[in-house]
Amino acid sequence: MRPQTDTIIDSKPDTRGKVVVEMQHVHKSFGDRDVLTDFNLQLFERENLVILGKSGSGKSVAIKIMVGLLKPDSGSINVLGYDVPNLSNKELNELRLQIGFSFQLSALYDSMSVRENLEFPLKRNLGIYDRQQLNEKVMSALQDVGLESARDMNPAELSGGMKKRIGIARTLILNPKIMLYDEPTAGLDPVTSGEINELILRVRDKYNTSSIIITHDISCARQTSDRIVGLFDGRNKVGGTFDELKKQNAPDLQPFFNY
Amino acid sequence: MKFRKFLIALAEVFRFIKRFFKEAFYPPFEVKETLRQCFLLGNRSLFLIVFTSFLAGIVFTKQSRPSLASFGAESWLPSLVSQAVVRSLGPLITGLICAGKLGSNIGAELASMQVSEQIDAMEVSGTRPYAYLVVSRVLATTLMLPLLVIFADIVALMGSFVMVHAINKTSFTLFINEVSAVVTYLDIFSSLVKSAFFGFAIGIVGSYAGYHSEKGTTGVGKAANTAVVVSMIFIFVIDLVSLQVLTLFRAQ
Ligand SMILES: Nc1ncnc2c1ncn2[C@@H]1O[C@H](COP(=O)(O)OP(=O)(O)O)[C@@H](O)[C@H]1O
Ligand SMILES: [Mg+2]
């Protein structure tokens, strides 16, 4: 049985695959600042779910809780069958290998070249040191993001959009089941944003990933989403497809659509 | 409230140090990265240490001479200087220079990685950033400081010899003889152990400041600053403690 969260509009439940991420009644505060008060979320297999909310609303906190970077104060988080807050280091590592995390600031290792960035998880995680195998995997991940030419460059030489792509390539190299994109288009011009949005769709098709895309960019939400949830005042208030939300005219979402 | 915050921070520091011992002595070991850090760190600080130690040797010798001379004990100069250099001056100069040079470097480097989410990125890709970044750096400073102190001692004594020779025309062999007559194995051994502690303090303080730096670009500057100030304080504290311990040893 799939527990229903109260506010999510579940328009066509039967066509969906199984639930890969489920967060229930998650609460998180820093000091006396409540960031998430009652956050609920379900991500289905092969779905692109957008979490929409203004900055500082706790979107990043929500996905960092999902991968165990932050501990929730209460609530349950289940990712691919793992009970995230109560995992041993070994189990957490197993889980993280199946999740790709694209960071808001790209988070490329700036002391390493692009190639070394991509090889880093292969070496340290999978213990692959064979030169040929490394080269093949690096090239195929770079091809997926359309940046073979950047292989021997340093992160400082890359543009913002290129950094985002390399960051995504670095997570694809481990064949993730789930992709988490933290503000993939923030700080990018509209054309580059469009390219990143297309990349997100291509990744889903090629890798069969289920993805959560965090954004405050409505055109990113429109292009990449199968479903959108809005995060306001620490809880997910509205949900549905882009068109449903647009029709629904919820006051919280007004500013996004009118922008 | 402030005091409670302080206690929480203290507990966090202890956890950080505990984690070091846990990750440093259980495989997989970070041999390659540790060696790389040793090399980088030696490279960064050797010249500065050699330069300052040489000057310190000269200055200390020149300043000590008149007071010895007034007792008619000028011939004791090499013994006095060499004991001071090996026991105290060499380790202290090396420690302070490294706290400034390496502490700030480690603090700023890790802080900028923290601020730009690079450490989080390593964490979520399961690449064990603590071992890769912190263990390697702390091991490197702990291993390299004694080595650098040996350099500093030798160079400071050379500086001292230059001074002694210039005034008293003492020959090199005589100088060396006098030095080796007073410097004991306990002196050398204890100064090396002390400097390993200096190195550990510099590495762990710098790493902690960087790893736990505040978000935002000001976090990087703050981390570098904290790293330098706190590790310098630790160096003086360790110096004092080791002196107390040694006094016990020598009394026996
Ligand atoms: N590690 C942390 N320590 C303290 N406060 C934090 C931390 N991470 C996030 N916050 C706070 O939580 C709130 C939500 O942050 P975040 O999730 O980054 O927002 P966004 O929706 O823009 O991604 C912010 O007010 C931020 O200051
Ligand atoms: Mg964010």
Side-chain angles (χ1 to χ4, degrees):
Chain A
M1 203 198 87
R2 195 189 298 148
Q4 286 295 299
T5 48
D6 45 8
T7 47
I8 292 178
I9 298 168
D10 207 343
S11 46
K12 27 184 200 316
D14 295 330
T15 60
R16 288 175 180 163
K18 61 177 203 268
V19 177
V20 287
V21 177
E22 173 145 43
M23 294 176 79
Q24 283 181 300
H25 308 300
V26 172
H27 184 107
K28 175 73 186 172
S29 55
F30 294 102
D32 44 16
R33 185 175 173 351
D34 290 322
V35 177
L36 299 177
T37 48
D38 181 16
F39 185 71
N40 298 279
L41 172 144
Q42 282 181 311
L43 176 70
F44 299 92
E45 205 164 28
R46 267 185 67 81
E47 179 185 34
N48 275 356
L49 174 67
V50 164
I51 302 180
L52 192 62
K54 55 178 199 236
S55 40
S57 57
K59 305 184 296 296
S60 300
V61 169
I63 56 168
K64 283 183 179 166
I65 286 176
M66 226 175 272
V67 291
L69 277 178
L70 290 172
K71 282 236 175 290
D73 300 331
S74 64
S76 70
I77 297 109
N78 191 304
V79 180
L80 295 171
Y82 292 86
D83 175 19
V84 176
N86 304 309
L87 294 179
S88 67
N89 282 338
K90 191 165 160 285
E91 289 166 322
L92 193 56
N93 217 18
E94 263 171 37
L95 172 63
R96 284 170 170 176
L97 268 176
Q98 307 176 53
I99 302 179
F101 200 125
S102 157
F103 284 86
Q104 189 164 351
L105 305 169
S106 302
L108 298 184
Y109 310 135
D110 45 25
S111 60
M112 306 179 197
S113 71
V114 166
R115 183 176 55 187
E116 288 164 333
N117 261 278
L118 269 63
E119 286 173 355
F120 192 72
L122 292 176
K123 288 178 176 167
R124 287 185 68 83
N125 229 323
L126 306 182
I128 300 175
Y129 286 91
D130 177 54
R131 194 38 34 225
Q132 197 184 344
Q133 218 180 337
L134 286 173
N135 284 346
E136 274 167 21
K137 281 185 185 279
V138 167
M139 273 328 255
S140 120
L142 285 177
Q143 262 159 24
D144 288 339
V145 299
L147 276 180
E148 298 101 306
S149 57
R151 195 183 71 166
D152 296 309
M153 292 167 91
N154 286 320
E157 303 170 77
L158 304 175
S159 70
M162 289 162 94
K163 279 186 189 157
K164 274 275 149 61
R165 287 164 181 272
I166 299 296
I168 293 171
R170 189 177 63 189
T171 67
L172 291 179
I173 211 160
L174 292 172
N175 265 318
K177 293 201 176 93
I178 297 176
M179 279 298 294
L180 306 174
Y181 299 93
D182 194 349
E183 311 254 9
T185 60
L188 300 180
D189 62 82
V191 178
T192 314
S193 298
E195 287 167 8
I196 298 286
N197 293 340
E198 274 164 32
L199 176 61
I200 291 174
L201 294 175
R202 266 210 317 281
V203 165
R204 191 253 302 267
D205 291 339
K206 171 154 185 198
Y207 288 82
N208 280 317
T209 49
S210 325
S211 313
I212 293 180
I213 300 129
I214 280 182
T215 191
H216 56 239
D217 171 6
I218 193 75
S219 67
C220 169
R222 180 173 52 78
Q223 280 183 60
T224 57
S225 68
D226 298 319
R227 188 162 61 94
I228 299 174
V229 296
L231 173 57
F232 302 100
D233 309 322
R235 38 193 318 178
N236 44 326
K237 282 200 176 156
V238 286
T241 64
F242 184 84
D243 295 326
E244 282 167 352
L245 289 184
K246 202 166 180 183
K247 259 185 249 143
Q248 203 180 328
N249 238 346
D252 282 321
L253 281 181
Q254 279 297 323
F256 289 97
F257 285 103
N258 295 340
Y259 174 66
Chain B
M1 191 59 214
K2 264 240 167 101
F3 186 64
R4 218 186 117 212
K5 256 195 186 155
F6 174 76
L7 286 184
I8 292 173
L10 205 64
E12 237 178 79
V13 172
F14 273 108
R15 213 172 318 131
F16 195 79
I17 295 173
K18 208 175 98 190
R19 192 167 172 199
F20 170 80
F21 287 104
K22 218 171 104 191
E23 300 211 12
F25 298 109
Y26 287 93
F29 302 112
E30 305 290 335
V31 180
K32 204 173 148 204
E33 183 60 15
T34 303
L35 289 178
R36 199 177 76 91
Q37 288 298 334
C38 284
F39 175 77
L40 283 177
L41 173 167
N43 214 2
R44 258 176 219 148
S45 52
L46 188 60
F47 174 75
L48 205 56
I49 286 169
V50 165
F51 183 67
T52 47
S53 311
F54 191 72
L55 291 189
I58 291 177
V59 170
F60 187 74
T61 309
K62 191 164 172 145
Q63 275 181 343
S64 310
R65 216 180 62 90
S67 32
L68 279 184
S70 67
F71 295 115
E74 217 181 317
S75 57
W76 288 4
L77 196 52
S79 331
L80 173 88
V81 171
S82 54
Q83 223 169 39
V85 162
V86 172
R87 285 185 181 178
S88 174
L89 211 56
L92 204 58
I93 290 174
T94 312
L96 292 177
I97 292 277
C98 286
K101 181 88 184 166
L102 305 177
S104 63
N105 198 290
I106 293 174
E109 199 173 12
L110 294 192
S112 72
M113 291 190 74
Q114 173 66 42
V115 167
S116 59
E117 300 181 311
Q118 291 176 49
I119 294 182
D120 280 348
M122 286 189 181
E123 193 73 55
V124 291
S125 58
T127 45
R128 295 171 288 112
Y130 188 95
Y132 184 76
L133 299 172
V134 176
V135 170
S136 64
R137 279 172 176 75
V138 177
L139 282 180
T141 51
T142 311
L143 294 173
M144 289 299 281
L145 253 268
L147 209 64
L148 290 170
V149 164
I150 294 175
F151 271 102
D153 286 356
I154 292 172
V155 173
L157 288 177
M158 279 183 350
S160 169
F161 169 72
V162 168
M163 207 60 224
V164 172
H165 180 75
I167 298 165
N168 297 1
K169 302 278 174 268
T170 313
S171 76
F172 188 66
T173 19
L174 184 61
F175 182 82
I176 292 293
N177 279 343
E178 301 209 357
V179 168
S180 46
V182 287
V183 174
T184 64
Y185 282 113
L186 179 64
D187 287 337
I188 295 174
F189 179 74
S190 62
S191 97
L192 293 186
V193 171
K194 178 169 77 175
S195 32
F197 275 98
F198 287 173
F200 182 78
I202 292 167
I204 210 91
V205 169
S207 300
Y208 183 85
Y211 219 76
H212 292 269
S213 84
E214 290 167 26
K215 295 277 171 193
T217 37
T218 51
V220 178
K222 263 194 197 165
N225 199 280
T226 310
V228 174
V229 173
V230 176
S231 53
M232 280 188 178
I233 293 172
F234 267 102
I235 282 169
F236 285 110
V237 172
I238 293 168
D239 209 22
L240 181 66
V241 171
S242 78
L243 183 63
Q244 295 298 333
V245 173
L246 266 180
T247 318
L248 287 181
F249 262 97
R250 292 208 173 99
Q252 280 179 355

